[in-house]
Amino acid sequence: MFHKVKHHWRRFRPRYRRHNKRFRHRDYAVDKKHMTQPVDVAFVCSSTDFFDCVEEEVVSLLQRRPEIHALDGDIARLRKRFDRTGSPHDGAVALLAQVPCAVLAQLQMDRFPNGYSNKQERLYELIDFNDTLVATILAMDDAERVQFSGRMKQSADRICKRVGAPCFTGEQWTAIVRGLTREVAVYLAAQEYGFNVFMTDRTHDALGIDMQVQDPESGRYINIDVKTPSSFRHRMEQLVHEKRLTERELLIGDRDSYIVERNGHGDKKVEVVVLCILPDLFGDLADWRFVDPEPMREKLNQLIRDHGLHDGRFGAS
């Protein structure tokens, strides 16, 4: 009986071409001479509408059958691009790409308010989402701000449905926009009256600081945490429960529409002015601005005069 011989498989490679010329590989050394630095090519939209172009670019990042975390790998790149360009389009694209993970983080926080796995990671996802939203609004013109809330919610819902993620409920989206509207309004009012304003990063956000406002003449500044009336009351009651605020200080806070709390530990301990944006005190809001910003100017002057800091940490990370 003969043994079956297994022949080793070899890839066919022609040794000669026509006219008896040897087959040659491409010279990669020559290729390198023609290589250039990669360039971030601008996305070309088929529409002239701002929000349609934003959604179209995010959709172009998705594969044919996208998964729920399909955009996670693009978020850091898109946020860096926005930091570099400051373009409202780039900001809106980065914001829309963060929506699915922000929705999941919000749902987890709502379901387990007292703690859950990966709490810090989820918290930072929401902080990054809110920071991108505020930065995008500040980069927009007034016409784009007017349409932002409704149009961005529609785009966010469509992106979430494409990747199979839940959508922000109407209440959740309204709460986010309502809270950040006050933050943007304070920033724009301070900027309008010549204050130096610094929007904080996630490190400051974790300490409860939304922004820092500085008097350019004296150099004194305050850390501000902007609150709606309901969230301001909830925060005061929480501090009373934690024995960090007395009942008398709570009553004074109700009267003055602000309190001063101390957050952090050791060298990182900071004083934060928790400011309640009360309509009776500061008036109405329209299109992300105060209708009359004068009361806010007076309040900022008073807060800096009474609680201003001069420790060289304004604008520091």
Side-chain angles (χ1 to χ4, degrees):
M1 182 178 290
F2 296 100
H3 294 288
K4 188 175 181 180
V5 179
K6 292 184 178 180
H7 296 283
H8 180 69
W9 180 86
R10 296 180 183 276
R11 182 171 67 88
F12 172 74
R13 177 184 293 174
R15 300 187 63 183
Y16 294 93
R17 280 187 170 183
R18 294 177 61 184
H19 308 300
N20 217 23
K21 292 183 179 179
R22 287 186 62 83
F23 179 84
R24 296 184 61 188
H25 291 288
R26 191 169 82 249
D27 191 345
Y28 292 101
V30 175
D31 291 348
K32 291 181 180 179
K33 295 179 182 179
H34 303 285
M35 292 175 63
T36 60
Q37 289 293 329
V39 178
D40 191 3
V41 180
F43 177 79
V44 179
C45 178
S46 60
S47 172
T48 57
D49 181 80
F50 175 85
F51 294 96
D52 287 346
C53 285
V54 168
E55 183 177 351
E56 189 175 323
E57 180 169 356
V58 176
V59 170
S60 71
L61 300 174
L62 298 173
Q63 297 179 352
R64 186 176 179 183
R65 293 183 177 86
E67 298 179 353
I68 196 166
H69 294 290
L71 293 168
D72 290 6
D74 296 302
I75 291 174
R77 176 181 62 82
L78 294 173
R79 294 187 75 221
K80 286 180 181 178
R81 186 181 74 171
F82 178 42
D83 291 340
R84 185 176 69 253
T85 65
S87 163
H89 171 87
D90 292 343
V93 170
L95 178 68
L96 202 55
Q98 294 177 74
V99 168
C101 65
V103 173
L104 295 173
Q106 185 66 58
L107 288 174
Q108 196 164 359
M109 291 189 71
D110 291 345
R111 186 177 179 185
F112 305 105
N114 297 321
Y116 46 86
S117 61
N118 297 329
K119 180 176 181 178
Q120 187 175 35
E121 180 182 349
R122 292 300 196 188
L123 178 62
Y124 279 150
E125 285 175 347
L126 286 175
I127 289 175
D128 289 343
F129 176 79
N130 289 345
D131 287 350
T132 305
L133 192 153
V134 170
T136 302
I137 287 293
L138 293 175
M140 287 179 169
D141 58 30
D142 290 337
E144 291 164 346
R145 288 181 191 139
V146 171
Q147 302 180 65
F148 176 85
S149 180
R151 294 293 302 277
M152 189 57 73
K153 176 64 166 69
Q154 294 171 1
S155 297
D157 288 350
R158 286 192 289 265
I159 291 296
C160 286
K161 290 175 181 177
R162 280 179 179 271
V163 301
C167 302
F168 278 122
T169 65
E171 291 181 358
Q172 288 173 332
W173 183 256
T174 301
I176 291 171
V177 171
R178 184 188 295 120
L180 297 181
T181 295
R182 287 157 173 77
E183 186 176 329
V184 171
V186 172
Y187 181 97
L188 293 175
Q191 191 178 57
E192 181 180 346
Y193 284 107
F195 292 96
N196 296 328
V197 195
F198 174 72
M199 297 301 292
T200 56
D201 56 17
R202 60 159 57 176
T203 304
H204 289 91
D205 281 336
L207 293 172
I209 304 173
D210 291 329
M211 71 186 77
Q212 296 176 318
V213 179
Q214 182 187 51
D215 181 359
E217 295 182 0
S218 66
R220 291 161 62 85
Y221 76 95
I222 51 174
N223 301 308
I224 300 180
D225 182 12
V226 179
K227 296 290 188 184
T228 62
S230 59
S231 60
F232 178 69
R233 182 71 188 186
H234 176 74
R235 182 58 180 162
M236 288 199 299
E237 291 175 351
Q238 184 181 22
L239 291 173
V240 170
H241 179 72
E242 295 173 359
K243 308 296 184 185
R244 296 170 58 192
L245 194 73
T246 65
E247 292 287 350
R248 181 175 178 275
E249 289 172 330
L250 183 146
L251 294 174
I252 295 174
D254 271 335
R255 182 196 67 193
D256 297 340
S257 294
Y258 80 91
I259 58 171
V260 178
E261 65 172 291
R262 290 165 181 81
N263 295 332
H265 303 281
D267 295 338
K268 294 185 177 181
K269 184 168 285 189
V270 293
E271 285 190 359
V272 183
V273 175
V274 184
L275 180 61
C276 176
I277 307 302
L278 198 64
D280 293 343
L281 184 60
F282 298 108
D284 295 329
L285 292 157
D287 302 331
W288 303 84
R289 291 179 180 271
F290 290 111
V291 174
D292 179 14
E294 179 62 24
M296 178 53 64
R297 182 191 69 82
E298 295 175 356
K299 193 67 174 180
L300 290 175
N301 279 327
Q302 179 229 319
L303 291 173
I304 292 175
R305 183 176 62 250
D306 296 344
H307 307 285
L309 305 172
H310 205 301
D311 53 10
R313 296 167 70 177
F314 175 79
S317 299

